[in-house]
Amino acid sequence: MPQTLYDKLWQNHVVHEEADGTALLYIDRHLVHEVTSPQAFEGLKLAGRKPWRVSSVVATADHNTPTNHWDRGIEDEVSRLQVETLDANIREVGALAYFPFKDPRQGIVHVVGPENGATLPGMTVVCGDSHTSTHGAFGCMAHGIGTSEVEHVLATQCLLQKKSKTMLLRVDGKLGKGVTAKDIALAIIGKIGTAGGTGYAIEFGGSAIRSLSMEGRMTLCNMAIEAGARLGFIAVDDVTINYVKGRPFAPKASDWDAAVAYWRTLHSDEGAQFDCVLDLRADDIQPQVTWGTSPEMVVAIDGCVPDPVKEKDPVRREGMERALQYMGLNPNTPIKAIKIDKVFIGSCTNSRIEDLRAAAAVVKGRKVAASVKLALVVPGSGLVKQQAEREGLDKVFIAAGFEWREPGCSMCLAMNADRLEPGERCASTSNRNFEGRQGAGGRTHLVSPEMAAAAAIAGHFADVREII
Amino acid sequence: MDKFVRLEGLVAPLDRANVDTDAIIPKQFLKSIKRSGFGPNLFDEWRYMDIGQPGRDNSQRPRNPNFVLNQPRYQGAQILLTRKNFGCGSSREHAPWALLDFGFHAVIAESFADIFFNNCFKNGILPIVLPAAELDALFAQVEATPGYKLTIDLERQVVVRPDGKALPFDVDAFRKECLINGWDDIGLTLRHADLIKTFEEKRRIAQPWLFA
Ligand code: SF4
């Protein structure tokens, strides 16, 4: 019988299955960062348990680390303690690799894993972080877990799981100029809602997906969680295999050929059945901008802030009203008329080299608008930063008036010093526009790197297609 | 983990959809390396008029009198009533820890985000899904009746209203057993340690590159 990619990945990892379908799944890669791991390591120790297989662990510090003045260390005491706790835990139990604060390969966990070849096709990848879905771009079964599960994986190398339903989200056609994987992701969430994928494992397919680079695929899978799906993935093809080849933890020599032979099977078979199939036309997708406090509150750049009066569902209407009030926006305002205070280019959604190249191409030879208080570029990792500097992208950004920072999560969630002040409005390439996400009272509009760059130049949202 | 068998508790209504884990416990509190002490900062941005910081004395902070959990009639609530897609966003287990630390042992909603739902069970919190119409009725009753309590009977899988009406709910059989017995997942899994070892050895031979 033809199988879906999800069926294949699932089958390949089942250690044991209970009568009710609860399965014990084997975990190949466990990514660890400072925020969601201390209580898990502590729990392990308290119970007198040893980690099952530390060679599955790849760890880095990213959420709390500052993005400037690295010579001063981590000045926030509470943050420093958390990062030092990770240092101590890894020192004690070990890991395949650890990229601590200031290491040249340190960075956001979801950028670091793939670029080091620690994320390989066909793996189960988990991390105490919801955006672990990112790694699905490699044909992986990758999802976020809570701290109890972090402890569970450390102790047993397994997770208890029930099978999800399957959804095929097919995007066919050609993306227009200036339209990116981020816009596909936001358009999908706008269509199916932030709970639209709940209970599903989403496979992204279709010609528009196939034509995305690995960076674009990671952006898309990263946002699967914002559609409510804990898993989002894409079949393996040449693009995947070429990306993996030669990376530090990628298989070598004869292992490589065996691995590639297996990876070539990682796609849904012709005629495989999905519980749900949705189709989108790539040609219809415009650059997207969110207007509210949930990623589903999104419109095209040509659009206007919607009017709650036109919404019939009372719970939704109230949600819209509350969002507009929080965002300080009036109904029917054209998106292009919304002025911004800050710009953030970064996060595990959009901080890879390709994202920085795309933003730099828009910025080149232009200046950040005088009304913009701060425009930040935060590379996803030390390696991305080095690569960008080799290409001179840092100079392009700095010449335009951007700040060029050290890698980390930064203003994606504002656990470090990078944040919005109450009432400030930001064009951000991150993934969540929740109330207070980028700083208490801050107002986030999610966009692609190109659109963030365009907004920085204009001082308000602007259609990047009219600039490039 | 504490056992969850039956709970009779005061209900607090949080009439919002898509309540995300950033709202349940804002990120500045995730810097803690402990599992406890998050209760005073549950829904921090909604509960207080100023911006909370870890380590501050929360009793001195100005409260938002309009926020439901600050109203005297809901003090001591153990059951949270809310709308759809509760717990969306970040996977932070600090969200169920904060709910539990505050005193909530059950959350009733139209739907839950997946990871949050999972995290609840790991901490002895019962997330219950009820249809929208039942929730509408519950919201109306709670708001109209000070001291409104519900009884949750996990064994029978019903929520019982004060007027005696029993609302049945679904719960995964395995999770139910774990909650009722207060079982630790890790202990349960390690009963299969031999199976895991065998699986791992086969995998090491078939796909050695995964073990580099
Ligand atoms: S960049 Fe943002 S979303 Fe990604 S891991 Fe860091 S905090 Fe989470």
Side-chain angles (χ1 to χ4, degrees):
Chain A
M1 208 176 88
Q3 283 186 303
T4 63
L5 173 54
Y6 180 60
D7 292 331
K8 293 181 187 180
L9 292 170
W10 177 271
Q11 239 170 40
N12 195 259
H13 290 89
V14 176
V15 173
H16 173 70
E17 202 164 331
E18 303 282 349
D20 72 344
T22 306
L24 205 55
L25 286 190
Y26 188 79
I27 302 303
D28 297 312
R29 178 66 68 229
H30 188 183
L31 303 169
V32 171
H33 65 83
E34 78 276 20
V35 178
T36 52
S37 67
Q39 297 89 346
F41 282 109
E42 192 196 4
L44 202 66
K45 209 185 291 178
L46 287 177
R49 289 173 176 137
K50 291 252 163 306
W52 185 281
R53 182 167 75 82
V54 289
S55 70
S56 69
V57 173
V58 171
T60 191
D62 54 5
H63 284 62
N64 270 296
T65 54
T67 58
N68 54 1
H69 307 304
W70 271 14
D71 51 315
R72 297 186 202 157
I74 304 176
E75 292 183 295
D76 179 316
E77 246 171 77
V78 200
S79 294
R80 190 171 63 236
L81 176 64
Q82 202 169 51
V83 172
E84 286 172 356
T85 304
L86 179 63
D87 290 342
N89 283 328
I90 299 293
R91 212 179 306 126
E92 192 179 330
V93 308
L96 173 69
Y98 179 40
F99 307 116
F101 175 48
K102 291 193 193 179
D103 186 279
R105 287 199 273 169
Q106 179 258 354
I108 306 171
V109 66
H110 308 307
V111 177
V112 165
E115 74 183 1
N116 284 287
T119 301
L120 295 173
M123 277 183 162
T124 38
V125 181
V126 296
C127 175
D129 188 283
S130 54
H131 291 98
T132 310
S133 57
T134 309
H135 309 263
F138 291 81
C140 286
M141 198 152 66
H143 62 84
I145 55 180
T147 300
S148 295
E149 289 177 317
V150 172
E151 185 181 338
H152 193 278
V153 174
L154 284 171
T156 69
Q157 212 56 42
C158 289
L159 263 189
L160 285 165
Q161 293 285 292
K162 266 206 163 160
K163 221 170 166 181
S164 303
K165 291 178 284 179
T166 53
M167 181 188 293
L168 175 62
L169 232 157
R170 217 164 17 201
V171 190
D172 279 307
K174 214 171 154 321
L175 283 179
K177 178 179 92 160
V179 185
T180 69
K182 181 66 161 284
D183 302 301
I184 301 181
L186 288 171
I188 287 172
I189 298 164
K191 189 178 162 103
I192 71 173
T194 51
T198 305
Y200 286 97
I202 300 183
E203 177 171 347
F204 298 102
S207 58
I209 306 297
R210 296 256 72 84
S211 66
L212 291 175
S213 65
M214 281 317 289
E215 283 86 351
R217 294 178 189 187
M218 284 189 258
T219 300
L220 180 60
C221 291
N222 173 279
M223 298 284 288
I225 184 71
E226 306 312 329
R230 73 155 91 178
L231 294 165
F233 45 83
I234 295 172
V236 174
D237 60 10
D238 288 340
V239 177
T240 328
I241 292 168
N242 292 336
Y243 179 96
V244 171
K245 193 164 190 177
R247 297 196 178 255
F249 295 112
K252 311 257 150 38
S254 65
D255 271 359
W256 172 258
D257 298 329
V260 170
Y262 170 61
W263 295 344
R264 295 259 180 227
T265 68
L266 296 176
H267 54 79
S268 291
D269 297 329
E270 192 75 42
Q273 292 297 312
F274 292 82
D275 295 303
C276 169
V277 179
L278 278 175
D279 281 294
L280 246 77
R281 289 296 309 170
D283 320 58
D284 296 341
I285 300 174
Q286 313 291 317
Q288 306 280 306
V289 183
T290 64
W291 55 267
T293 52
S294 159
E296 70 186 26
M297 295 173 165
V298 66
V299 288
I301 180 67
D302 294 339
C304 291
V305 174
D307 195 337
V309 169
K310 293 184 193 136
E311 175 60 54
K312 293 202 181 66
D313 176 352
V315 176
R316 276 185 77 107
R317 185 166 58 234
E318 230 174 275
M320 289 170 76
E321 280 162 359
R322 199 176 303 118
L324 288 182
Q325 195 188 7
Y326 180 86
M327 294 297 290
L329 291 174
N330 292 319
N332 307 313
T333 308
I335 295 295
K336 287 183 194 161
I338 300 173
K339 294 199 176 68
I340 52 162
D341 303 302
K342 287 184 175 169
V343 178
F344 172 60
I345 298 179
S347 90
C348 59
T349 313
N350 282 126
S351 64
R352 297 180 181 80
I353 189 66
E354 195 179 75
D355 300 313
L356 303 190
R357 284 179 192 141
V362 176
V363 163
K364 194 165 186 156
R366 299 192 170 91
K367 288 267 182 248
V368 172
S371 56
V372 173
K373 290 187 232 170
L374 176 70
L376 272 187
V377 185
V378 183
S381 71
L383 294 184
V384 171
K385 183 168 187 245
Q386 278 173 26
Q387 178 62 31
E389 288 175 354
R390 268 198 295 275
E391 296 177 19
L393 305 183
D394 55 328
K395 299 209 174 61
V396 173
F397 284 117
I398 292 166
F402 279 86
E403 290 194 19
W404 177 250
R405 294 288 186 90
E406 305 290 349
C409 293
S410 178
M411 212 158 76
C412 172
L413 94 167
M415 269 184 87
N416 69 2
D418 310 335
R419 66 186 59 168
L420 299 181
E421 297 304 322
E424 280 182 343
R425 190 180 297 289
C426 181
S428 177
T429 66
S430 56
N431 41 54
R432 289 191 173 134
N433 50 353
F434 300 155
E435 286 185 20
R437 171 78 179 182
Q438 294 193 291
R443 295 162 173 165
T444 303
H445 296 264
L446 303 176
V447 288
S448 71
E450 288 87 328
M451 286 287 288
I457 305 303
H460 53 81
F461 290 105
D463 192 336
V464 66
R465 294 171 297 187
E466 290 162 12
I467 300 178
I468 52 176
Chain B
M1 190 173 84
D2 290 341
K3 294 180 183 179
F4 188 118
V5 184
R6 195 170 174 281
L7 169 71
E8 188 191 352
L10 189 68
V11 182
L14 183 65
D15 199 354
R16 293 185 180 215
N18 298 316
V19 172
D20 58 77
T21 54
D22 279 76
I24 298 174
I25 182 86
K27 68 240 152 199
Q28 62 269 37
F29 303 105
L30 310 192
K31 295 182 184 186
S32 169
I33 55 171
K34 301 206 201 77
R35 253 175 213 267
S36 55
F38 298 103
N41 302 108
L42 175 72
F43 299 119
D44 198 274
E45 285 177 21
W46 294 340
R47 232 161 110 198
Y48 302 97
M49 307 294 280
D50 63 351
I51 295 167
Q53 284 306 328
R56 277 188 61 186
D57 179 2
N58 296 292
S59 65
Q60 302 303 316
R61 296 173 54 200
R63 290 179 181 238
N64 173 2
N66 296 325
F67 184 57
V68 57
L69 294 187
N70 286 334
Q71 293 168 20
R73 57 183 285 199
Y74 298 119
Q75 297 314 302
Q78 290 181 288
I79 299 170
L80 186 68
L81 187 65
T82 182
R83 296 286 182 179
K84 68 167 206 200
N85 201 28
F86 187 79
C88 58
S90 144
S91 64
R92 60 190 67 165
E93 201 159 316
H94 312 68
W97 294 338
L99 287 163
L100 198 62
D101 202 57
F102 184 87
F104 287 116
H105 290 272
V107 184
I108 304 177
E110 193 184 327
S111 63
F112 291 91
D114 193 38
I115 301 177
F116 173 83
F117 188 72
N118 215 12
N119 284 341
C120 281
F121 286 99
K122 312 277 177 201
N123 291 282
I125 297 178
L126 177 61
I128 296 175
V129 177
L130 289 180
E134 310 266 29
L135 284 171
D136 286 343
L138 286 178
F139 269 104
Q141 293 191 349
V142 176
E143 275 148 28
T145 326
Y148 187 89
K149 284 188 174 181
L150 286 171
T151 302
I152 297 168
D153 186 334
L154 178 54
E155 213 124 44
R156 286 172 51 219
Q157 296 185 210
V158 284
V159 176
V160 187
R161 299 197 318 206
D163 60 10
K165 185 171 179 196
L167 316 171
F169 62 86
D170 272 341
V171 56
D172 180 90
F174 176 72
R175 284 169 159 163
K176 176 176 172 181
E177 215 180 323
C178 290
L179 274 183
I180 288 182
N181 294 292
W183 279 340
D184 155 23
D185 271 7
I186 297 180
L188 287 178
T189 298
L190 286 175
R191 291 180 314 178
H192 300 301
D194 288 344
L195 288 176
I196 304 173
K197 280 202 187 99
T198 313
F199 180 93
E200 194 168 57
E201 278 322 305
K202 277 197 207 142
R203 197 164 182 75
R204 207 182 278 275
I205 294 164
Q207 300 186 25
W209 60 87
L210 295 174
F211 295 82

